[in-house]
Amino acid sequence: MSSQAQSLQSLLKAFPSRPFEQQTLDTLVDIEVRSFKGNSPAENIKSSWEYLLKNEIFTLAATEGNALKSGSTEYYDGLRDRLDLVLTFTEHDACEPAFPFTVLQDLLETQTISSCSHIFSWIEERASRLTKGMVPQKGKALILLRTLNDLLRRLSKMGTTTLFCGRILTFLSGVFPLGERSGVNLRGEYGPMWERVKDAENKDEDIVMDSVKASESSGDKMEVDEVKTETDTKKAPTGGDDKKDGFYTIFWSLQLPFSRPPLFASTGTFEEFKEAVDKVLPVIKEASSKERLMMGNRSASGVAGSLKRKRESDIREETNNSDYFFAKFLTSPDLLELEIADTHFRRQVLFQLLIVLNHLLSFTKAAKAVWSTPRNRSLQMDFTLEPADAQWVQEVIAKASAELRSTAPNGPTFADTVNVILDREKNWVKWKNDMCAPFDRGPWAAEVDGRKVGLEEATRAARAKRREEPEDWAYSLGSQPLTEIWEMGYRDLNDLHNPFQAGDVKDFVKKVKQEDARIDMRKKTLARNAERIAQARVKAAAPPKELAALEPLSQEIPTPVSDTLKADQSLITPRPIPSATSSPLHPSLPAKPGSSPSKSISDAGTSSPAQPVVPVPAPVPALSLGAAPAPVTAPSPAPRPAPAPPTDDQILKFQENKHRWSWLALRTARDQHLQHFGKIGTGDVTLLAQEIDAEKEREKEREREKTQKSEEMMPSMSTETAIGRVLVTGGAGYIGSHVIYALQQTRRYKVISIDNHHNSFPASLTRVAQIARDALPENASETDKDSAEIDAIQCDLTNPEQIKAVFERYGKGGIWGVVHIAAYKAVGESVEIPLTYYANNVAATVSLLQTMSDYDCTRIVYSSSATVYGTPPIIPIPETTRLKADSPYGKTKVMSEMVIDDLCHAEPQRWRGISLRYFNPAGAHPSGLIGEDPRGRPGNLLPLLAHMAIGRVKDSTLKVFGNDYPTPDGTCVRDYLHVLDLASGHLLALDALAPNSTIFDNCPDDARYKAYNLGKGRGMSVLQIVEAMRKATGFDFKYEIIGRRRGDVPDLTANPALAEKELGFKAPQPLEVMCRDLWNWQTKNPQGYGQQ
């Protein structure tokens, strides 16, 4: 052995300097190995080499301490040289194949983490040589797996080795296939046992003494001192810190089951775990709520500020994410509150909790029956989750998941990622439980011509075909249906939205034209088919050699389509067209289809003459095949035969349909437009429709002249002798009083207010009139003074007699228009008493409209609501959104709108109506004289906050309905606008009902009715409103998140573009002004209108 030792030393001295070629080292080692071959038994020589090499490595490894102090790389270079020798000797069969791995296993156990990183770098560089010929589940593969797993367990106790762990895992994934059992830890090792950061409730002195003894034995005096200090502290706790220390201990006690789930098999562990979780989750939820509140108006995409104390970076640590930290190195009862305030810390705790809870669900009786087998020891734990406990676990999983979604930033995305990871881990656990069944799949293959081929060869023909130029698309508008409906005369979406309805001659004319279009399309199709058949027959008749000479000529000479059609007459069944007889209805009416013959189908329709199926071109002279084509001479003109009647089945069907529509049009128009029948010849419905339209235009002109004469006879609204009277329903209410204020400021209207004071006070009208009188100039006219007074009438809209009495007081035509605001308006209440809402909001509206019609008052501005949209498909909401209310209140608004719309369509010459779908009004008049003062507890958010701040509502906590909506902070979003901006919108709508208004000119029909959104176009959430009121009032509002309220929708934000364009509407006042004016009203009127 001494000679082998000398040989090894000389080899080390002659070791080539780096970088070197491996062949050089192979030559040196081969010489030494050969020199001892045959001197002793091969086994003895191998043992000697292994002993000497291992001794050389560990002799150098003993000097690691000095090497770490010096900072030189000489130590690691020496290790790499000796490890290269070990590997090279093994490759030359001088050592056992597993020898390098046993050396690495022992060496890594003796080295520090820093040195292990250098050694692992050598493993990565030599991976191809180390793993050559390695068989999974045997020999050196198991040693390598065990070595690296031990290293990973060491690294898991460190806080700065994330990158090192990643390198090891990456290496393992490259060495062991994904489905290889030896790459999976089947025994289910857990992470390191949690070491308590503060043993505040330690009652076992032996534990403390054992810790002290263990520390003394290791020579770590500082840890002994720390244990003693904690023990001394526990002997005299201060009373003020008991609660804080108690929660601190409970919180960190969760880390024990997190790190060691088998402890659940111990008696009482699960009950302690439940108690701790039930105490910790509310604290985490409260911290998330505080964080959302602190975010204010910031977008959810912004980065939330962290309250966690930042650690200064240590240059000795490896790069790591500074947003995360290990609590065991930075925590105390005083720091715990700051740690919980950190979003990343809360997410970490919730993630750990979800992992453990999902793990526990695999221990229910039903779950254990699936995976528990004697052969499977991967999840052995003597624990069964009872049904009641399983229900608790499911509930906590739902709460923790919801809490993850509510964290910011990007809470929903983070929660979805966690769920994906958990689902994936469930699949891995199931795979382990199934003893790692193989799931490798072979490459894709297909059988072609009796042999299996790969994907490339199997798809070669298909890929070559896809590279060919495609044929021209047959449909000019993209698809056959779209092209056909365009050719049939549809030009607008309204043509499809408004299907055919019998009753108007224009509708019948449209149907007749559609049948004409179908006939034309069919003729074109027949012509194309005939042309293709003719070309095919010519090509079939020509020999292949002459086909090339024939093709250019066939492109220049028209194809004889008529001959082809004659040849195909056997496919068409002709129908004789009988002669016509007079109609019993009117001489100009054609006979009813199917009851009596008609002269010509085309005569019953439009005045367009019937066309033959296809044009008949000149015949093509016979060609002499094999010779140059002779010049074509034009045949002598022949007299054109009379067009043959259409003989195609589909054309005959279309002609019959056309005849039917024409007959129905004339039959429908007989009762109302019989006077025009003498002008239309033989039943031309197109000419009849033109005569009817001309008559309507003349009627409109006469109506305009009549209206103009009546307006000239009546005094103008701007004169001093008379002004227009406007009736405002619900005029004493919050919105009604401000609308009356806007009307009085114009001095063009005399306001009549009717109100039953169900949710209002008469004093509001007195104050509005006072504001109007104070605004009058010194030289005000009598008309101006009259406009400042209000005819206030107490009236119930559900009583038709009372409504009639109001209109009777002013006579027919005495009231110019109505602004209908009165309604019940609480969403929650409407769910409880829907019949009351339908009676008050819908039936009363119908009664009001009936009375208006009786007294020639045909202008109405209806105060609708944004709730008519329900949960809108798009935000912001345009007026074209479908009406689909979710609450009875919203449905009453939809019904009332439909009633007004139907009325305007039924009598388009009389009625004009506008519905205003406004969103949440807020604020008050800047004077503080009028504002919102609901009877009882306010049902809207802003007045409720004002009442809480002033002391009228004794509730100390605001209940917020839901914080899990898809909005920035989880609470509902609404479009708030100042009540004076809303009042100006009502005034603009009322002015738009005047005879000279042009807003109805673009209506799709004669009805003069429109709906507009009134809003700012920018929504604000409940929590943002609370924060704005906090700033305006200085009051510290407390709130509590409760469940969703039925009927509420996540977001109602207006798109007011149409109102801005056509009415000139604007809503300039911001939220701060709304809150300021509301608080000004509330402080000047603490008890509302009811105070003296």
Side-chain angles (χ1 to χ4, degrees):
M1 181 180 292
S2 59
S3 58
Q4 284 180 277
Q6 294 174 0
S7 175
L8 181 60
Q9 293 299 323
S10 62
L11 187 59
L12 286 172
K13 292 179 181 178
F15 199 91
S17 58
R18 296 181 183 275
F20 61 87
E21 293 289 338
Q22 179 61 32
Q23 186 177 359
T24 304
L25 183 59
D26 287 338
T27 302
L28 295 175
V29 170
D30 185 65
I31 293 172
E32 298 298 333
V33 171
R34 288 179 179 276
S35 64
F36 290 94
K37 192 172 184 179
N39 296 341
S40 299
E43 295 297 328
N44 292 343
I45 296 176
K46 282 187 178 181
S47 300
S48 299
W49 284 124
E50 289 177 359
Y51 171 78
L52 292 172
L53 289 168
K54 192 171 185 180
N55 181 68
E56 187 66 32
I57 288 176
F58 284 96
T59 300
L60 179 62
T63 65
E64 181 196 17
N66 297 330
L68 292 175
K69 295 178 183 178
S70 66
S72 173
T73 61
E74 182 179 355
Y75 169 74
Y76 299 111
D77 293 340
L79 273 181
R80 293 169 69 89
D81 293 346
R82 286 156 177 79
L83 289 173
D84 279 333
L85 278 178
V86 169
L87 181 58
T88 307
F89 268 89
T90 303
E91 291 173 340
H92 284 76
D93 199 26
C95 300
E96 293 295 330
F99 177 64
F101 298 95
T102 56
V103 171
L104 288 171
Q105 183 180 16
D106 296 339
L107 179 61
L108 288 172
E109 290 179 354
T110 65
Q111 300 294 290
T112 62
I113 295 298
S114 177
S115 297
C116 286
S117 179
H118 286 277
I119 297 171
F120 186 74
S121 297
W122 179 85
I123 295 176
E124 291 175 315
E125 293 174 3
R126 304 292 187 264
S128 59
R129 297 169 60 192
L130 284 170
T131 59
K132 183 178 181 180
M134 188 170 67
V135 179
Q137 307 178 25
K138 293 182 181 179
K140 58 185 181 181
L142 295 178
I143 301 175
L144 177 62
L145 178 64
R146 184 168 57 248
T147 300
L148 295 182
N149 275 340
D150 290 340
L151 182 56
L152 284 173
R153 275 194 288 273
R154 286 179 62 192
L155 295 175
S156 66
K157 297 183 179 181
M158 310 296 292
T160 58
T161 57
T162 305
L163 294 179
F164 193 3
C165 291
R167 290 169 55 198
I168 297 174
L169 293 173
T170 303
F171 177 81
L172 286 173
S173 66
V175 172
F176 297 99
L178 185 63
E180 177 55 47
R181 286 185 57 184
S182 60
V184 181
N185 190 354
L186 294 178
R187 296 305 299 271
E189 287 289 346
Y190 297 97
M193 178 71 78
W194 171 256
E195 300 173 8
R196 299 189 178 186
V197 294
K198 180 178 181 183
D199 206 0
E201 296 182 357
N202 187 5
K203 298 179 182 179
D204 192 348
E205 288 295 333
D206 293 339
I207 297 177
V208 177
M209 295 305 297
D210 291 344
S211 302
V212 173
K213 290 177 182 179
S215 302
E216 288 176 349
S217 64
S218 62
D220 193 345
K221 186 67 176 175
M222 181 60 69
E223 290 190 8
V224 175
D225 294 341
E226 288 178 356
V227 174
K228 289 181 179 178
T229 303
E230 292 182 4
T231 306
D232 296 341
T233 304
K234 286 180 282 182
K235 292 179 181 179
T238 59
D241 294 337
D242 285 348
K243 185 175 181 181
K244 181 186 297 185
D245 290 349
F247 178 75
Y248 173 79
T249 305
I250 292 172
F251 181 86
W252 288 115
S253 68
L254 289 175
Q255 290 296 325
L256 193 58
F258 284 175
S259 64
R260 209 70 182 172
L263 291 176
F264 284 110
S266 303
T267 305
T269 301
F270 185 77
E271 296 301 325
E272 294 175 1
F273 175 74
K274 284 175 60 176
E275 182 180 358
V277 170
D278 289 339
K279 290 181 179 180
V280 169
L281 272 183
V283 176
I284 293 178
K285 184 175 183 179
E286 182 182 2
S288 298
S289 300
K290 287 182 179 179
E291 183 182 56
R292 287 196 300 270
L293 184 60
M294 291 175 61
M295 290 174 65
N297 295 330
R298 290 183 295 173
S299 172
S301 62
V303 179
S306 175
L307 299 178
K308 162 175 84 68
R309 189 178 69 186
K310 300 294 184 180
R311 290 171 35 182
E312 294 182 359
S313 60
D314 190 348
I315 59 175
R316 295 172 298 174
E317 296 181 354
E318 296 184 29
T319 304
N320 202 358
N321 189 344
S322 61
D323 287 339
Y324 295 88
F325 60 88
F326 287 79
K328 64 182 290 185
F329 300 119
L330 178 62
T331 189
S332 72
D334 295 327
L335 286 176
L336 181 59
E337 183 177 355
L338 291 176
E339 291 171 329
I340 293 178
D342 177 50
T343 303
H344 300 297
F345 181 84
R346 292 197 307 277
R347 285 178 171 177
Q348 226 176 11
V349 174
L350 291 171
F351 196 3
Q352 286 180 305
L353 179 61
L354 287 171
I355 292 172
V356 173
L357 293 175
N358 280 278
H359 179 63
L360 288 175
L361 288 179
S362 62
F363 287 91
T364 61
K365 290 183 179 180
K368 289 179 68 174
V370 174
W371 59 261
S372 181
T373 61
R375 293 181 63 246
N376 186 0
R377 297 178 295 169
S378 61
L379 288 175
Q380 281 190 0
M381 184 168 72
D382 188 14
F383 174 74
T384 301
L385 192 66
E386 299 300 328
D389 295 332
Q391 179 65 26
W392 176 84
V393 170
Q394 293 282 10
E395 293 174 355
V396 175
I397 287 176
K399 292 179 182 178
S401 299
E403 195 58 37
L404 270 182
R405 298 188 74 86
S406 65
T407 57
N410 304 322
T413 303
F414 183 82
D416 292 341
T417 304
V418 168
N419 291 332
V420 170
I421 293 173
L422 292 175
D423 289 340
R424 192 183 113 194
E425 291 304 313
K426 289 178 185 176
N427 294 333
W428 275 109
V429 170
K430 182 178 182 301
W431 181 62
K432 289 184 182 182
N433 291 340
D434 296 339
M435 305 303 294
C436 303
F439 55 82
D440 295 340
R441 297 184 63 181
W444 186 92
E447 188 170 343
V448 178
D449 298 334
R451 60 189 183 91
K452 286 189 176 181
V453 297
L455 178 65
E456 182 179 1
E457 185 175 352
T459 59
R460 182 177 294 120
R463 288 184 282 110
K465 185 175 181 181
R466 294 182 64 178
R467 285 193 290 268
E468 296 176 359
E469 288 293 332
E471 298 180 359
D472 292 337
W473 189 242
Y475 308 108
S476 59
L477 295 181
S479 67
Q480 181 178 1
L482 187 60
T483 304
E484 287 183 356
I485 62 174
W486 180 267
E487 293 178 353
M488 286 189 297
Y490 292 101
R491 291 296 182 269
D492 192 278
L493 285 178
N494 290 327
D495 295 339
L496 301 177
H497 289 164
N498 302 322
F500 171 73
Q501 295 178 352
D504 195 335
V505 175
K506 290 191 296 184
D507 295 327
F508 289 104
V509 171
K510 185 181 296 186
K511 300 299 290 185
V512 169
K513 291 183 177 180
Q514 288 178 3
E515 298 298 339
D516 282 336
R518 290 189 178 99
I519 291 172
D520 291 339
M521 290 170 56
R522 180 59 181 169
K523 290 177 180 178
K524 292 177 181 177
T525 302
L526 291 174
R528 288 195 298 267
N529 292 341
E531 185 175 354
R532 284 197 295 269
I533 292 172
Q535 291 178 356
R537 289 181 176 177
V538 171
K539 291 181 180 179
K545 295 182 179 181
E546 307 299 335
L547 192 58
L550 181 62
E551 287 181 350
L553 188 60
S554 64
Q555 297 175 3
E556 299 174 3
I557 304 175
T559 306
V561 181
S562 59
D563 295 341
T564 306
L565 286 179
K566 291 178 182 179
D568 291 342
Q569 288 299 315
S570 60
L571 302 177
I572 303 174
T573 303
R575 295 183 183 179
I577 308 299
S579 60
T581 60
S582 62
S583 171
L585 298 175
H586 189 270
S588 62
L589 271 177
K592 182 177 180 180
S595 61
S596 59
S598 59
K599 179 180 179 180
S600 172
I601 294 176
S602 61
D603 292 342
T606 62
S607 58
S608 59
Q611 299 293 332
V613 177
V614 291
V616 183
V620 181
L623 298 178
S624 176
L625 300 177
V632 180
T633 60
S636 60
R640 184 171 181 176
T647 55
D648 180 68
D649 284 344
Q650 293 189 30
I651 293 179
L652 290 174
K653 180 181 177 181
F654 296 149
Q655 291 281 24
E656 184 178 350
N657 291 341
K658 178 179 170 182
H659 176 59
R660 182 181 297 108
W661 292 125
S662 300
W663 187 90
L664 289 174
L666 296 172
R667 178 65 180 84
T668 303
R670 183 191 62 173
D671 297 333
Q672 296 182 0
H673 307 290
L674 189 60
Q675 70 274 17
H676 300 300
F677 277 36
K679 309 173 185 177
I680 61 174
T682 57
D684 189 343
V685 293
T686 304
L687 186 57
L688 177 61
Q690 294 174 357
E691 290 294 335
I692 294 173
D693 289 340
E695 179 64 25
K696 286 183 178 180
E697 288 297 326
R698 291 192 292 270
E699 183 66 27
K700 287 182 180 180
E701 185 63 29
R702 287 194 294 268
E703 184 69 22
R704 283 194 292 266
E705 292 176 358
K706 181 179 177 181
T707 303
Q708 184 177 0
K709 289 180 181 178
S710 62
E711 290 179 353
E712 290 175 356
M713 294 175 63
M714 292 179 60
S716 174
M717 289 172 51
S718 61
T719 64
E720 296 186 2
T721 58
I723 56 179
R725 295 189 186 95
V726 174
L727 175 69
V728 179
T729 67
Y734 172 48
I735 297 172
S737 59
H738 288 82
V739 170
I740 292 176
Y741 163 78
L743 293 172
Q744 288 184 320
Q745 294 305 300
T746 65
R747 300 178 194 146
R748 293 186 284 111
Y749 297 105
K750 171 68 175 178
V751 177
I752 306 165
S753 171
I754 59 174
D755 201 310
N756 64 355
H757 304 302
H758 169 78
N759 193 30
S760 61
F761 296 87
S764 63
L765 296 176
T766 305
R767 297 191 183 187
V768 174
Q770 183 61 47
I771 295 174
R773 286 193 293 269
D774 293 343
L776 290 174
E778 295 181 359
N779 57 346
S781 64
E782 290 300 322
T783 303
D784 291 342
K785 293 178 182 179
D786 189 27
S787 69
E789 302 300 328
I790 303 171
D791 289 353
I793 304 172
Q794 186 166 351
C795 170
D796 193 337
L797 285 178
T798 59
N799 189 328
E801 295 301 323
Q802 293 184 14
I803 304 174
K804 184 177 180 181
V806 174
F807 280 85
E808 185 67 32
R809 179 175 175 179
Y810 299 97
K812 279 197 173 186
I815 298 178
W816 187 81
V818 173
V819 179
H820 182 26
I821 303 174
Y824 292 162
K825 62 183 181 64
V827 171
E829 184 184 56
S830 73
V831 177
E832 299 171 358
I833 50 172
L835 290 179
T836 304
Y837 269 70
Y838 288 121
N840 186 78
N841 293 4
V842 181
T845 300
V846 174
S847 180
L848 173 64
L849 291 169
Q850 182 64 55
T851 306
M852 290 172 60
S853 180
D854 294 342
Y855 286 87
D856 291 340
C857 178
T858 55
R859 299 179 182 90
I860 183 169
V861 174
Y862 178 61
S863 182
S864 187
S865 168
T867 56
V868 299
Y869 297 119
T871 303
I874 56 174
I875 298 294
I877 312 167
E879 287 84 353
T880 54
T881 304
R882 84 286 181 273
L883 303 185
K884 190 178 181 182
D886 294 330
S887 64
Y889 164 67
K891 292 174 183 176
T892 63
K893 293 295 184 181
V894 173
M895 293 179 185
S896 298
E897 282 196 31
M898 292 172 64
V899 170
I900 299 172
D901 186 13
D902 290 343
L903 185 58
C904 292
H905 277 82
E907 301 180 69
Q909 301 304 323
R910 293 187 66 210
W911 282 90
R912 292 174 177 237
I914 291 178
S915 291
L916 299 179
R917 299 167 185 166
Y918 53 84
F919 294 63
N920 294 52
H925 191 273
S927 66
L929 290 175
I930 56 174
E932 186 169 9
D933 185 24
R935 293 182 183 270
R937 181 185 177 87
N940 294 332
L941 176 60
L942 278 167
L944 178 60
L945 293 174
H947 282 201
M948 292 176 65
I950 206 67
R952 287 181 64 179
V953 174
K954 301 305 180 183
D955 296 349
S956 60
T957 304
L958 173 71
K959 296 187 184 306
V960 178
F961 296 102
N963 68 337
D964 55 349
Y965 290 99
T967 57
D969 59 18
T971 60
C972 290
V973 170
R974 295 292 182 266
D975 192 342
Y976 288 83
L977 77 163
H978 200 287
V979 67
L980 289 182
D981 293 336
L982 176 62
S984 69
H986 283 74
L987 176 61
L988 292 169
L990 188 65
D991 290 341
L993 298 180
N996 58 352
S997 173
T998 60
I999 68 164
F1000 299 110
D1001 292 350
N1002 59 354
C1003 288
D1005 46 37
D1006 294 337
R1008 291 176 288 184
Y1009 170 80
K1010 280 194 172 184
Y1012 294 98
N1013 288 339
L1014 298 186
K1016 292 184 68 66
R1018 185 176 65 257
M1020 287 153 281
S1021 69
V1022 174
L1023 295 184
Q1024 289 174 335
I1025 295 297
V1026 172
E1027 183 62 24
M1029 281 297 290
R1030 190 195 311 276
K1031 293 179 181 179
T1033 63
F1035 184 79
D1036 186 16
F1037 293 100
K1038 306 294 184 184
Y1039 65 89
E1040 174 188 3
I1041 305 295
I1042 61 176
R1044 293 187 180 188
R1045 180 175 61 179
R1046 184 189 169 200
D1048 282 344
V1049 297
D1051 195 339
L1052 284 179
T1053 304
N1055 182 357
L1058 186 63
E1060 293 173 355
K1061 176 183 177 181
E1062 296 189 358
L1063 297 180
F1065 171 76
K1066 297 292 182 184
Q1069 301 297 344
L1071 178 62
E1072 292 75 17
V1073 175
M1074 302 180 211
C1075 296
R1076 181 198 67 194
D1077 291 345
L1078 172 60
W1079 187 235
N1080 178 48
W1081 147 260
Q1082 199 64 68
T1083 53
K1084 290 183 178 180
N1085 304 271
Q1087 301 303 320
Y1089 293 113
Q1091 69 181 6
Q1092 298 297 326

